[in-house]
Amino acid sequence: MPRPKAPCGTYSAYKRHLRDGSPVDAACAAARDERTQTVAAERSAKKFATPVLTLVPADPVADEKRMQRAEVLREGLEVVRAAIAVVKESEPARLAPLLKEQREIARELGEIDAAEGAKSESLGEQLARARAARQAGA
């Protein structure tokens, strides 16, 4: 048994008129206008109601300190993670660039940490490790 047709004066009836190629009556045109205004208002409210990111005022004391690259990246990673948390709920379509940025920052941090790990080992420690490896292999 088919569903009953929507009565004129509703958006569904307006769409039916378009599908069937029948003339749109005044009640259905008014329903279309009302629906268009409602959807536009919802989009506008959603777009402007919650900010994606809020700006934090700069701390003059922290700005005076010179930050190393790793510190800048870690701070950027925190900002990106906060943005991901907000965007995930409100605008999932904008999530991909943030995830890409997060991966890039994590990769750079990994490179810096690996380079610092190699630098922290003294020359004597490097030689001792190389000798031990040679002796173990011989």
Side-chain angles (χ1 to χ4, degrees), residues 41-52 54 86 90-91:
E42 288 172 358
R43 282 185 185 158
S44 179
K46 184 177 179 183
K47 185 175 182 180
F48 297 111
T50 57
V52 174
T54 56
V86 171
S90 63
E91 298 180 70

Side-chain angles (χ1 to χ4, degrees), residues 61-138:
V61 176
D63 288 341
E64 290 178 10
K65 296 180 181 177
R66 185 176 180 155
M67 298 176 82
Q68 294 181 354
R69 176 91 175 127
E71 291 172 347
V72 171
L73 287 171
R74 285 187 183 93
E75 185 177 298
L77 186 59
E78 289 176 19
V79 171
V80 169
R81 285 182 177 160
I84 288 172
V86 171
V87 170
K88 184 190 287 186
E89 299 300 322
S90 63
E91 298 180 70
R94 296 178 129 189
L95 198 56
L98 291 172
L99 292 173
K100 183 177 179 182
E101 183 66 21
Q102 182 182 18
R103 282 193 305 271
E104 181 65 25
I105 291 173
R107 185 190 60 76
E108 286 186 47
L109 280 172
E111 290 174 0
I112 290 172
D113 289 344
E116 287 178 358
K119 288 179 185 177
S120 65
E121 190 175 22
S122 70
L123 182 58
E125 292 169 339
Q126 291 175 16
L127 288 173
R129 186 172 40 83
R131 285 186 191 120
R134 256 196 328 264
Q135 290 175 353

Side-chain angles (χ1 to χ4, degrees), residues 32-50:
R32 176 206 53 210
D33 294 343
E34 182 181 337
R35 166 76 180 250
T36 303
Q37 290 173 355
T38 303
V39 169
E42 288 172 358
R43 282 185 185 158
S44 179
K46 184 177 179 183
K47 185 175 182 180
F48 297 111
T50 57

Side-chain angles (χ1 to χ4, degrees), residues 1-16:
M1 182 166 130
R3 292 189 323 190
K5 292 183 178 180
C8 279
T10 62
Y11 185 70
S12 296
Y14 166 75
K15 292 193 308 185
R16 185 182 70 237

Side-chain angles (χ1 to χ4, degrees), residues 51-56:
V52 174
L53 294 175
T54 56
L55 297 177
V56 178

